[in-house]
Amino acid sequence: MANFTAADVKRLREQTGAGMMDCKNALDEADGDIEAAIELLRLKGAKDVNKRATRTAANGLVVADLDGTQAGVLVELNCETDFVAKTDLFQQTAAEIAKTAISARVSDRLALLAAEARPGTTVEQLIDEASASLKEKLELGRFARFEGGYVASYLHRSDAALPPTLGVLIQLDKDNAEVAKDLAQQVAAMRPLYTTRDEVPADVVEKERRIAEQITRDEGKPEQAIGKIVDGRLNAYFKDVVLTEQAFVKDQKTAIKQVLAQNGVTVTGFARFQVGQA
């Protein structure tokens, strides 16, 4: 029988975040030596991470953090099951990653992974440690950061028992909390792909025009009417995928660009992340 106490198991668990039985087994194998047990757990954790690498992390949450109203981040953290998504450790890890993104002022996902979340611990290492403790594959999903103007966020829970799985970050050129909230909820509900019509790539527009023309010809429309019908169908496409062209969810007779004009603001960008969707 190894020479260790329940207090030793507790201490090892606090230092490593490993499960109770894993700590007991490590202390038993290390004959009560705490440092040796820590090394054993680290080795075991590394092996477990390699095993988890081929598994799919399709669940998780979306978290936001703001630095006043001048900067904001939106972070997706993925795990394998809803069960882990509900845990305090998983949610605390996500919140810590978002705070790191704000404080480190990183602009992309790779820079965030390399940023120091705690003294001597990067975000990537923080995720690996949580993964070892939770015994599931965890990975950093999408990341967005806006800075300047007025930045606001919106998070939505699809299930009251789960953390938010849908998040939106919105950026305006000037302060307007009410419009920012309305636009964030608009983006959440209507899933636009672009902010303005000018952002739609030329090849996408050409493809949609080509499809609209083919459909119109297949319908047997008169040749002289095809151009006008195609333009109408292309405008309908823009109203579906462009935020400023969409009908306002609170008033279907008003377009978002009219809401912006009435309030003297411009939307300069948005990000929308939903767990399980690209």
Side-chain angles (χ1 to χ4, degrees):
M1 182 71 179
N3 184 26
F4 61 88
T5 66
D8 293 327
V9 175
K10 181 181 178 183
R11 175 185 165 198
L12 184 59
R13 190 178 185 190
E14 289 173 349
Q15 288 187 28
T16 64
M20 185 71 75
M21 288 307 300
D22 287 336
C23 290
K24 285 183 178 179
N25 292 336
L27 282 167
D28 191 47
E29 188 176 345
D31 198 27
D33 186 323
I34 292 285
E35 294 303 319
I38 290 174
E39 186 172 342
L40 286 169
L41 287 170
R42 288 184 64 187
L43 290 171
K44 181 180 184 301
K47 291 177 183 176
D48 287 345
V49 166
N50 290 334
K51 289 178 184 176
R52 289 189 289 271
T54 58
R55 286 158 30 188
T56 302
N59 287 286
L61 60 74
V62 179
V63 64
D65 202 355
L66 301 173
D67 183 6
T69 61
Q70 298 297 307
V73 297
L74 194 66
V75 177
E76 178 185 31
L77 185 63
N78 299 117
C79 58
E80 295 178 59
T81 65
D82 284 348
F83 177 79
V84 160
K86 295 178 185 178
T87 63
D88 289 342
L89 176 57
F90 183 77
Q91 295 179 39
Q92 288 165 4
T93 299
E96 192 167 355
I97 292 169
K99 287 189 180 302
T100 300
I102 281 287
S103 61
R105 301 184 71 175
V106 294
S107 58
D108 60 63
R109 180 179 176 277
L110 291 179
L112 177 55
L113 282 169
E116 194 172 65
R118 302 170 186 166
T121 302
T122 65
V123 165
E124 186 170 18
Q125 291 169 330
L126 186 71
I127 293 171
D128 287 345
E129 288 176 6
S131 177
S133 295
L134 294 167
K135 301 188 186 308
E136 275 200 9
K137 178 181 181 180
L138 306 187
E139 59 183 18
L140 182 64
R142 291 162 289 182
F143 167 69
R145 176 186 176 89
F146 291 144
E147 185 166 3
Y150 182 84
V151 182
S153 64
Y154 170 71
L155 299 175
H156 177 74
R157 294 175 184 263
S158 57
D159 185 328
L162 295 173
T165 54
L166 169 62
V168 174
L169 197 65
I170 199 90
Q171 184 182 40
L172 304 178
D173 66 334
K174 62 185 70 170
D175 187 336
N176 193 312
E178 184 176 354
V179 171
K181 180 182 177 182
D182 283 342
L183 287 186
Q185 292 179 344
Q186 173 88 19
V187 170
M190 302 308 295
R191 308 180 183 187
L193 301 177
Y194 310 98
T195 304
T196 65
R197 187 181 291 212
D198 291 341
E199 285 186 7
V200 185
D203 60 329
V204 173
V205 175
E206 182 55 36
K207 177 184 175 183
E208 291 300 321
R209 182 179 291 280
R210 191 167 58 247
I211 292 171
E213 184 174 342
Q214 185 63 53
I215 291 172
T216 305
R217 290 186 182 282
D218 289 346
E219 290 173 346
K221 301 296 184 184
E223 186 66 30
Q224 63 270 24
I226 288 178
K228 187 174 182 179
I229 294 171
V230 168
D231 286 343
R233 285 181 160 156
L234 197 58
N235 283 331
Y237 169 76
F238 287 135
K239 288 178 181 178
D240 185 41
V241 302
V242 176
L243 174 59
T244 54
E245 303 283 328
Q246 288 182 339
F248 186 26
V249 291
K250 288 186 174 181
D251 177 4
Q252 293 292 307
K253 295 181 180 180
T254 303
I256 291 297
K257 57 187 175 185
Q258 292 173 293
V259 174
L260 295 169
Q262 290 165 4
N263 288 275
V265 296
T266 299
V267 56
T268 53
F270 73 85
R272 181 188 187 276
F273 299 159
Q274 186 166 3
V275 174
Q277 295 184 7

